[in-house]
């Protein structure tokens, strides 16, 4: 039997430093760290704890950090333990994190009931996905009630964050005219709650119009089985003035409660688990391709043949896969 990981009990007890160290462990690419992380995550499952995982997306400048600071502070004020994780796909390219700035959310960062973790620098989105998912599992085991998973509204990161969230919130700014700010249909389709931020001062009227526009657009979307009447919903908020946050929270809780009662909550988590299992297998196969010298050479040779037009892609892939059988 392997020894009980020394981080296991402190994480279960909600020890912040142990949690931070455990997240550093799951972020590591060293194979001995990966093995230890996998055993730790497995061990933590026994606690069977479940948090409300809220994905939050929005373009830079829409007010994500201001919102999280205000919303998180409201929740901790109600006695909830809140973890904030940032998923920044740009860190995969630049090695730096635009969401990692420590000066963001400084009030929440000092709040004893909150835990903030910036985005890990990772070499590719797949790596970011796995680490984020594992960091969520660690925060959940550490006993947090609400986990906010923040991402910028670019590329595939939103779909990925939706795959690790129970509820997906889209933060938008008031639009100038009556146009829906070029929000991609795909994003609208995964949003459960749309919050139009900056509904204050001069922007208030525009925010009210924008909410109405989105409410109209949402009604045109196909009704999803995982939604009660009235969802997805569009609401105005002002992160700056902490206005509308309680209503937004009520909407999220109503949706979560309904989904739990209707069985959609568990179904979504099961689907997500199956999705991530398949992703892990895929990533493992790809890793094997790059780690195994013979496979790598064959792959390079076949790729060159496909590139030169000598071989068909499908046939070459079939040969590659055949060579892996029993490897
Ligand atoms: P992020 O890039 O999405 O994290 O956005 P920030 O939270 O950094 O906010 C970008 C800018 O919008 C800052 O100047 C904020 O002060 C401002 N802002 C954020 N929330 C609100 C709001 O509710 N009302 C108004 N008027 N400005 C806001």
């Amino acid at each position: 039997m392997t020894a009980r990981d020394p981080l296991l009990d402190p994480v279960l007890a909600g020890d912040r430093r142990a949690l931070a160290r455990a997240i550093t462990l799951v972020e590591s690419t060293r194979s001995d760290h990966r093995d230890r992380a996998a055993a730790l995550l497995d061990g933590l499952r026994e606690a069977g704890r479940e948090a409300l995982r809220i994905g939050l997306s929005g373009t830079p400048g829409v007010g994500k950090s201001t919102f999280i600071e205000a919303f998180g502070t409201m929740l901790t004020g109600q006695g909830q333990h809140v973890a904030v994780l940032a998923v920044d796909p740009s860190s995969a390219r630049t090695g730096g994190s635009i969401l990692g700035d420590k000066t963001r959310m400084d009030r929440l960062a000092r709040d004893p009931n909150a835990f903030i973790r910036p985005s890990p620098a990772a070499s590719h989105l797949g790596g970011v996905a796995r680490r984020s998912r594992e960091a969520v599992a660690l925060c959940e085991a550490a006993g947090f009630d609400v986990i906010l998973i923040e991402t910028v509204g670019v590329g595939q990161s939103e779909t990925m964050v939706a795959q690790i969230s129970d509820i997906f919130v889209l933060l938008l700014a008031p639009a100038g005219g009556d146009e829906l700010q070029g929000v991609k249909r795909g994003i609208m389709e995964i949003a459960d709650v749309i919050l139009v931020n900056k509904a204050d001062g001069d922007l208030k009227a525009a925010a009210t119009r924008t909410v109405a526009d989105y409410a109209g657009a949402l009604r045109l979307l196909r009704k999803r089985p995982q939604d009660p009447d009235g969802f997805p919903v569009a609401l105005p908020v002002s992160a700056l003035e902490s206005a509308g946050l309680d209503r937004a929270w009520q909407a999220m809780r109503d949706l979560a409660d309904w989904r739990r009662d209707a069985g959609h909550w568990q179904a979504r988590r099961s689907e997500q688990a199956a999705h991530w299992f398949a992703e892990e297998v895929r990533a493992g196969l790809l890793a094997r391709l790059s780690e195994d010298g013979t496979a790598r050479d064959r792959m390079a040779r076949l790729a060159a043949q496909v590139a030169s037009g000598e071989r068909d892609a499908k046939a070459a892939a079939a040969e590659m896969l055949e060579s892996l059988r029993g490897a």
Side-chain angles (χ1 to χ4, degrees), residues 275-286:
H275 167 82
W276 291 117
F277 164 71
E279 281 296 309
E280 283 295 321
V281 172
R282 220 188 314 269
L285 281 173
L286 289 175

Side-chain angles (χ1 to χ4, degrees), residues 58-67 99 104-105 150 152 171 197-201 203 237-242:
T59 49
V62 74
K64 290 181 300 302
S65 28
T66 313
F67 174 82
L99 297 177
R104 300 168 87 237
M105 313 175 212
E150 174 197 10
V152 280
L171 204 62
N197 190 33
K198 310 195 183 183
D200 51 49
L203 292 169
V237 290
S238 166
L240 209 58
E241 297 182 349
S242 291

Side-chain angles (χ1 to χ4, degrees), residues 44 60 84 101 195 224 260 268 293 317:
L44 288 169
V84 179
D101 183 354
L195 299 178
R224 307 179 304 182
R260 255 187 235 276
R268 180 170 169 138

Side-chain angles (χ1 to χ4, degrees), residues 99-311:
L99 297 177
D101 183 354
K102 285 269 182 204
T103 58
R104 300 168 87 237
M105 313 175 212
D106 53 341
R107 188 161 41 126
L108 199 59
R110 289 191 310 264
D111 190 324
N113 285 339
F115 174 85
I116 300 182
R117 180 80 175 193
S119 179
S123 54
H124 59 98
L125 190 62
V128 175
R130 179 206 279 154
R131 286 161 220 187
S132 306
R133 181 165 47 86
E134 292 176 348
V136 166
L138 289 170
C139 291
E140 201 156 52
F144 284 92
D145 304 299
V146 178
I147 304 175
L148 292 168
I149 310 146
E150 174 197 10
T151 192
V152 280
V154 290
Q156 300 160 315
S157 67
E158 286 161 318
T159 324
M160 187 266 278
V161 167
Q163 284 283 5
I164 51 178
S165 314
D166 301 310
I167 286 181
F168 192 74
V169 177
L170 184 60
L171 204 62
L172 297 168
D178 58 355
E179 278 175 57
L180 307 184
Q181 314 153 40
V183 175
K184 290 179 239 75
R185 194 183 165 87
I187 303 305
M188 291 278 285
E189 279 170 352
I190 58 172
D192 296 308
V193 176
I194 287 180
L195 299 178
V196 179
N197 190 33
K198 310 195 183 183
D200 51 49
D202 292 346
L203 292 169
K204 193 162 185 168
T208 307
R209 272 198 309 274
T210 307
V211 168
D213 288 344
Y214 278 103
L218 288 171
R219 275 193 295 273
L220 296 178
L221 291 178
R222 189 167 52 87
K223 177 141 176 66
R224 307 179 304 182
Q226 71 270 30
D227 292 332
D229 285 344
F231 280 90
V233 68
L235 297 167
V237 290
S238 166
L240 209 58
E241 297 182 349
S242 291
L245 302 182
D246 43 0
R247 202 163 146 219
W249 174 230
Q250 187 64 48
M252 294 178 215
R253 268 188 313 179
D254 287 348
L255 181 60
D257 289 347
W258 187 89
R259 283 187 179 164
R260 255 187 235 276
D261 292 346
H264 292 298
W265 175 285
Q266 211 42 57
R268 180 170 169 138
R269 287 222 172 180
S270 300
E271 267 168 39
Q272 289 175 342
H275 167 82
W276 291 117
F277 164 71
E279 281 296 309
E280 283 295 321
V281 172
R282 220 188 314 269
L285 281 173
L286 289 175
R288 227 153 107 183
L289 280 183
S290 62
E291 281 156 16
D292 173 341
T294 318
R296 206 172 48 224
D297 292 347
R298 178 175 283 112
M299 188 82 180
R301 181 170 47 78
L302 288 169
Q305 290 173 355
V306 171
S308 70
E310 204 179 316
R311 298 284 303 272

